[in-house]
Amino acid sequence: MTATDERTLGGTAGGGPRPLEGLLVVGLEQAVAAPIATRHLADMGARVVKVENPRGGDFARHYDGALNGMAAHFVWVNRGKESLTLNLTDPRGAEALERLLGRADVLIQNLAPGAAARRGLAAEQVVARHPRMVAVDISGYGEGGPLSHKRAYDLLVQSEGGSCSVTGEPGRPAKAGIPIIDLATGMYALSSILAALYARRETGRGSAISLSLFDVVTEWMGYSLNFTMGTGVEQQPAGVGSPAVAPYGAYPTADGQTVVLGTTNDREWQRLARTVLDRPDLADDPAFAGNADRVRERARLDEVIIAWSKSVTLVEAQEILDNAELGNARLNGVQDVLDHPHLRERDRWQEVSTPTGTVQALLPPPIAAEWTPPMGAVPALGEHTDALLAELGYPTEEIAALRRDRVV
């Protein structure tokens, strides 16, 4: 049974009705920021129609062929959606989209700068025509500034917004390994949509919402901005650590592994010094009394901790730290996470259908006792076009003409 079949039949295997069942979401989306938001809406039961260009669709479909011949990014953020191909430069394609919007509750778009507005699809334009619509524009830099015209991708915005400067090692800035600002923007879009839908229950009115990746990265730079604002000092990145807290980092063990440990308050520091390191002299030394003191003395402390960590195996280190009630972890690679027993034993991996066969996918993070996520299929490009057009009232012969003329 496909995700569409399940929705039509009203099935909600493993629980009660999902909280967003009955909502129709339209995504004029590409890459990660908007698709991750709509995927989470689908996880909560919404019907999500992904509108794509017939000539290739979402460009993230073609990043690689890593997962059963499909792009790893695309499979990750597009399960549970229906794919409708429309050439929006053709008036007939634009008219079909307008019919769809007339039935929709939510529109989210992250097209190139100015593209949505030129087609009357910017959030304010859509809400003016459809007052109950919750419409979200995602852009790189927002409106009204000197960068508003620029294209923006995760790396570019991380660079412009300063996050690369606080990541990596001193003199070696780095982008976060995951597309963190794309994801953060998608989560702000998700929370804003849910808030606007909640408000609509009382007011009957939708909302036009705009988000920019640049505003998101600068919001998430809050600690660094405040620190430099208050001190005039730009902190240096700390690799697998934090410039704000010490001891807090990655330390090699005797068996070639790496234990990551951290103290976040003075009580934890005392336990580390006395119980783990057996160094009451450090615990009593006023040079290490407070966190700011320990940050200044990070290099001295790291030397002591490394001497201890190199004397024990990873298993021994973690047992000692657990017994001392100190936070710790193993520094894992990607394959380690794929094989992680904490995911396996909690049944976090589920099968998802794709056009090229089933793949394993992680359940979404929210766990609710009352409902389960549908874990719907990843759509082929235009897979649902004919069915959706028929649902919108197009007769078979007109659908055939639209396909013949490459409108769909």
Side-chain angles (χ1 to χ4, degrees):
M1 179 180 290
T2 68
T4 303
D5 292 332
E6 184 186 37
R7 181 181 53 254
T8 301
L9 296 175
T12 52
R18 298 174 183 114
L20 299 185
E21 283 187 8
L23 286 174
L24 175 59
V25 176
V26 177
L28 290 171
E29 55 180 30
Q30 52 199 355
V32 175
I36 191 67
T38 55
R39 199 215 77 189
H40 280 290
L41 292 170
D43 288 337
M44 297 176 188
R47 182 184 187 184
V48 177
V49 176
K50 183 180 182 74
V51 178
E52 302 185 72
N53 190 316
R55 295 183 293 277
D58 183 341
F59 56 72
R61 285 183 177 273
H62 313 291
Y63 280 165
D64 54 59
L67 194 59
N68 281 7
M70 298 194 70
H73 273 94
F74 188 85
V75 171
W76 168 37
V77 297
N78 286 289
R79 68 163 186 262
K81 303 178 185 180
E82 300 171 56
S83 174
L84 168 65
T85 50
L86 291 175
N87 177 2
L88 298 181
T89 64
D90 188 299
R92 293 169 291 175
E95 196 277 334
L97 176 60
E98 193 62 22
R99 285 198 201 184
L100 180 62
L101 293 180
R103 302 185 179 197
D105 299 281
V106 176
L107 169 67
I108 182 169
Q109 68 85 16
N110 66 334
L111 303 180
R118 287 193 297 272
R119 294 180 171 85
L121 296 171
E124 288 188 355
Q125 295 169 318
V126 172
V127 173
R129 298 195 305 275
H130 306 285
R132 285 182 54 80
M133 178 79 75
V134 174
V136 179
D137 294 335
I138 294 178
S139 66
Y141 294 99
E143 296 297 323
L147 303 183
S148 296
H149 67 286
K150 293 176 71 71
R151 288 180 178 267
Y153 305 117
D154 187 87
L155 167 62
L156 306 181
V157 176
Q158 284 202 44
S159 299
E160 194 74 41
S163 70
C164 291
S165 74
V166 297
T167 309
E169 303 285 348
R172 299 178 63 190
K175 172 191 173 297
I178 60 176
I180 190 167
I181 304 306
D182 278 342
L183 297 173
T185 305
M187 293 301 96
Y188 276 115
L190 174 66
S191 62
S192 299
I193 288 167
L194 295 176
L197 289 171
Y198 182 81
R200 191 181 72 171
R201 299 195 313 175
E202 297 296 324
T203 67
R205 298 189 303 272
S207 183
I209 299 164
S210 62
L211 288 162
S212 79
L213 277 69
F214 185 71
D215 289 345
V216 169
V217 68
T218 52
E219 162 68 18
W220 279 31
M221 284 285 289
Y223 162 73
S224 297
L225 295 175
N226 280 348
F227 188 92
T228 301
M229 189 187 308
T231 66
V233 174
E234 292 199 26
Q235 292 175 312
Q236 292 298 301
V240 184
S242 168
V245 184
Y248 196 85
Y251 304 94
T253 60
D255 54 348
Q257 300 291 319
T258 301
V259 64
V260 182
L261 66 91
T263 60
T264 59
N265 57 60
D266 295 340
R267 295 184 303 279
E268 290 181 347
W269 156 244
Q270 289 290 321
R271 294 202 298 275
L272 176 66
R274 296 181 188 279
T275 305
V276 176
L277 302 177
D278 193 22
R279 291 290 302 271
D281 57 312
L282 296 182
D284 294 334
D285 191 332
F288 307 116
N291 179 66
D293 304 310
R294 295 190 292 274
V295 168
R296 283 193 298 271
E297 299 293 336
R298 183 194 307 275
R300 286 176 58 193
L301 287 178
D302 281 350
E303 286 183 8
V304 175
I305 297 171
I306 289 171
W308 167 76
S309 68
K310 284 185 172 180
S311 72
V312 292
T313 66
L314 175 69
V315 170
E316 291 168 340
Q318 292 199 278
E319 182 178 357
I320 292 167
L321 291 165
D322 284 343
N323 288 337
E325 297 183 350
L326 292 172
N328 65 89
R330 178 190 181 197
L331 185 64
N332 282 325
V334 176
Q335 188 63 53
D336 297 320
V337 178
L338 286 171
D339 299 334
H340 208 297
H342 199 69
L343 295 173
R344 183 181 62 251
E345 292 179 18
R346 294 166 61 240
D347 294 323
R348 297 296 297 164
W349 291 105
Q350 301 289 314
E351 284 193 348
V352 168
S353 297
T354 81
T356 59
T358 60
V359 298
Q360 294 290 307
L362 286 168
L363 287 163
I367 299 172
E370 294 80 14
W371 55 275
T372 57
M375 301 299 285
V378 177
L381 179 61
E383 178 181 347
H384 305 90
T385 298
D386 287 7
L388 280 162
L389 291 176
E391 188 176 331
L392 293 172
Y394 286 85
T396 302
E397 59 273 16
E398 189 170 355
I399 295 173
L402 292 173
R403 190 167 294 284
R404 183 183 63 245
D405 295 342
R406 299 184 179 179
V407 179
V408 299

